[in-house]
């Protein structure tokens, strides 16, 4: 298959996949409530996915490299057809807990298969290729909830699960076509040897630390956006706008990689990015104004997105022929931060600093890691 055709088909497959994800996520709280679930049960159904995805990300990447992304991603997407029907017909909390746990494994296989195959197919253009597929996935996650709301108003809260199944099958067909010809490694000792060597490498450790911190930042922003806006003297209704601003900025950053990938590849980029973000945070604290604070959120969205793609690209370069494994390792780091980050603040640091100070502290930590990274990459 021609390179451009593969890239576009895989991007469309990713778009349909994440539309399904967004549609499902928006419908789940309403459906779980309809079968007698309260806030705790809704949180458990949402949260079990994160826990399972965390522990399965690295094994999923290794499996994708072993059997090939065409099999791992296409089969996992096809299995979401009966999963969507299960969600549609489910009548108890346990059904949704089991279903979400299964989906956590399937999504780990799909994500590592898609992103790993993009990195594998375009080694000389890896960073802009990753920017395209990650940007498309963010777009799908933005579209899905809107579709879910529309269908819920017309046909009830279970209708979006039929869309979840349908778009997953479309994505499976497109993935099967677009991933044809990409090789597998066949497995063996190469996995263990490469992993053991790389996780001990200071450069790899710095990449993983940044993934973890981005996950902590995003979980904190999602969990505490109402406190953030009220703490800056803004209306609580702007909490949703704050999240939209962050993810739209992230989306812009991903799609811009086609034009700025050489700049982003520079070893100074993460240092400069988090220095700029730290400066906007300081300005927002000094002025107590909403405009610098919105600038801080926008810069953090752009630079977290660009740094995420840069780190994934660099990890893929270190894991020769094991690109999906590299993707799984990076996603595992992000998932660790996302799963535990907000809870750490709420349980241990809530009395020591307010939420905006916590967010600024996280950016400062990222700046320190970026300084370390630039020094190591210089060697």
């Amino acid at each position: 298959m021609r390179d451009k055709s593969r890239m576009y088909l895989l991007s469309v497959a990713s778009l349909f996949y994440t539309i399904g994800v967004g549609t499902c996520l928006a419908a789940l709280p309403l459906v779980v409530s309809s079968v007698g679930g309260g806030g705790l049960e809704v949180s458990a159904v949402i949260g079990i996915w994160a826990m399972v995805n965390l522990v399965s990300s690295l094994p999923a990447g290794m499996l994708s490299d072993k059997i090939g992304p065409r099999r791992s991603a296409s089969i996992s997407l096809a299995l979401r057809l009966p999963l969507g029907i299960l969600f549609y017909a489910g009548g108890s909390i346990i059904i949704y807990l089991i279903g979400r746990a299964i989906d956590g494994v399937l999504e780990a296989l799909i994500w590592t298969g898609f992103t790993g195959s993009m990195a594998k197919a375009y080694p000389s253009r890896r960073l802009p290729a990753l920017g395209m597929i990650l940007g498309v996935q963010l777009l799908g996650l933005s579209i899905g909830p809107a579709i879910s709301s529309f269908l819920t108003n017309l046909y009830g809260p279970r209708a979006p699960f039929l869309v979840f199944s349908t778009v997953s099958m479309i994505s499976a067909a497109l993935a099967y076509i677009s991933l044809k010809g990409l090789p597998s490694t066949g497995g063996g000792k190469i996995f263990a040897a490469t992993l053991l060597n790389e996780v001990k490498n200071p450069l790899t450790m710095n990449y993983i630390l940044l993934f973890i911190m981005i996950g902590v930042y995003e979980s904190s922003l999602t969990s505490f956006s109402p406190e953030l806006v009220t703490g800056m003297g803004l209306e609580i209704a702007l909490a949703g706008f704050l999240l939209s601003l962050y993810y739209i900025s992230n989306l812009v950053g991903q799609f811009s990689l086609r034009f700025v990938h050489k700049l982003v590849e520079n070893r100074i980029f993460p240092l400069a990015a988090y220095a700029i973000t730290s400066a906007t945070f300081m300005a927002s604290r000094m002025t107590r104004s909403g405009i610098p604070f919105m600038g801080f959120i926008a810069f953090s969205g752009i630079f977290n997105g660009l740094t995420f793609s840069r780190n994934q690209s660099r990890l893929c370069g270190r894991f020769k022929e094991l690109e999906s494994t590299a993707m799984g390792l990076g996603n595992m780091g992000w998932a660790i931060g996302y799963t535990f980050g907000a809870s750490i603040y709420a349980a241990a640091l809530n009395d020591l600093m307010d939420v905006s100070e916590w967010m600024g502290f996280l950016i400062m930590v990222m700046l320190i890691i970026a300084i370390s990274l630039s020094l190591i990459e210089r060697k």
Side-chain angles (χ1 to χ4, degrees):
M1 178 177 288
R2 292 170 55 191
D3 277 358
K4 282 191 176 181
S5 298
R6 188 194 302 277
M7 182 181 289
Y8 292 138
L9 271 178
L10 191 54
S11 295
V12 175
S14 293
L15 178 64
F16 278 109
Y17 152 59
T18 48
I19 286 174
V21 173
T23 303
C24 178
L25 278 176
L28 277 169
L30 295 174
V31 175
V32 171
S33 297
S34 74
V35 296
L40 180 62
E41 288 79 9
V42 170
S43 298
V45 168
I46 299 296
I48 195 171
W49 175 93
M51 294 297 295
V52 173
N53 190 262
L54 165 61
V55 299
S56 59
S57 286
L58 183 56
M62 296 171 70
L63 180 63
S64 182
D65 280 322
K66 183 175 182 179
I67 68 174
R70 189 187 194 196
R71 290 185 197 175
S72 64
S74 300
I75 293 172
S76 298
L77 282 161
L79 287 173
R80 297 173 100 210
L81 172 62
L83 186 62
I85 295 172
L86 179 70
F87 286 153
Y88 181 81
S92 67
I93 303 298
I94 192 67
I95 291 293
Y96 291 101
L97 285 170
I98 293 171
R100 284 289 287 168
I102 293 170
D103 198 32
V105 177
L106 295 180
E107 285 202 33
L109 287 163
I110 296 163
W111 195 87
T112 55
F114 276 179
T115 53
S117 60
M118 191 70 96
K120 193 186 299 285
Y122 306 100
S124 62
R125 293 179 289 154
R126 185 181 295 128
L127 185 53
L130 286 174
M132 171 176 274
I133 196 167
L134 292 173
V136 164
Q137 288 176 357
L138 282 169
L139 182 62
L141 288 171
S142 303
I143 295 172
I147 293 174
S148 182
S149 297
F150 177 75
L151 291 175
T152 297
N153 287 332
L154 288 179
Y155 306 111
R158 293 177 183 264
F161 295 127
L162 299 179
V163 174
F164 171 82
S165 292
T166 302
V167 295
S168 294
M169 288 306 298
I170 295 171
S171 182
L174 292 173
Y176 189 79
I177 295 168
S178 62
L179 296 176
K180 183 179 180 180
L182 289 180
S184 62
T185 62
K189 294 182 180 179
I190 183 174
F191 290 107
T194 302
L195 272 175
L196 286 173
N197 288 333
E198 282 301 326
V199 295
K200 295 184 292 184
N201 187 290
L203 187 57
T204 301
M205 287 302 300
N206 274 267
Y207 291 141
I208 295 171
L209 284 172
L210 268 178
F211 282 128
I212 292 172
M213 294 308 301
I214 290 171
V216 173
Y217 184 93
E218 292 183 347
S219 71
S220 299
L221 182 65
T222 302
S223 300
F224 306 125
S225 55
E227 290 92 333
L228 275 171
V229 294
T230 54
M232 293 303 299
L234 303 172
E235 296 292 330
I236 195 169
L238 290 175
F241 172 77
L242 198 71
L243 287 174
S244 296
L245 175 63
Y246 177 83
Y247 286 109
I248 289 171
S249 300
N250 198 305
L251 178 68
V252 169
Q254 297 293 356
F255 281 129
S256 72
L257 273 170
R258 180 180 178 184
F259 309 101
V260 300
H261 62 95
K262 290 185 179 179
L263 175 67
V264 175
E265 284 282 10
N266 192 292
R267 69 178 182 86
I268 299 297
F269 174 78
L271 191 159
Y274 289 115
I276 292 170
T277 310
S278 297
T280 57
F281 172 74
M282 293 296 186
S284 70
R285 294 293 297 181
M286 288 188 292
T287 61
R288 305 297 296 181
S289 170
I291 294 176
F293 182 70
M294 292 301 177
F296 164 65
I297 297 298
F299 277 126
S300 66
I302 292 171
F303 292 139
N304 279 347
L306 292 175
T307 301
F308 188 94
S309 293
R310 181 186 189 274
N311 285 5
Q312 289 285 31
S313 178
R314 291 298 181 96
L315 275 182
C316 287
R318 299 188 65 81
F319 284 71
K320 300 294 185 183
E321 299 181 6
L322 297 175
E323 288 85 357
S324 291
T325 300
M327 292 295 171
L329 183 62
N331 192 58
M332 184 180 72
W334 175 86
I336 289 170
Y338 195 85
T339 302
F340 301 109
S343 299
I344 289 171
Y345 170 76
L349 300 171
N350 191 27
D351 294 332
L352 299 177
M353 60 182 82
D354 64 34
V355 178
S356 65
E357 289 171 338
W358 167 245
M359 302 301 286
F361 170 76
L362 295 178
I363 292 296
M364 297 296 182
V365 173
M366 290 186 218
L367 176 59
I368 293 170
I369 298 170
I371 293 170
S372 172
L373 188 60
S374 68
L375 292 174
I376 297 172
E377 286 184 350
R378 185 179 182 180
K379 297 178 181 178

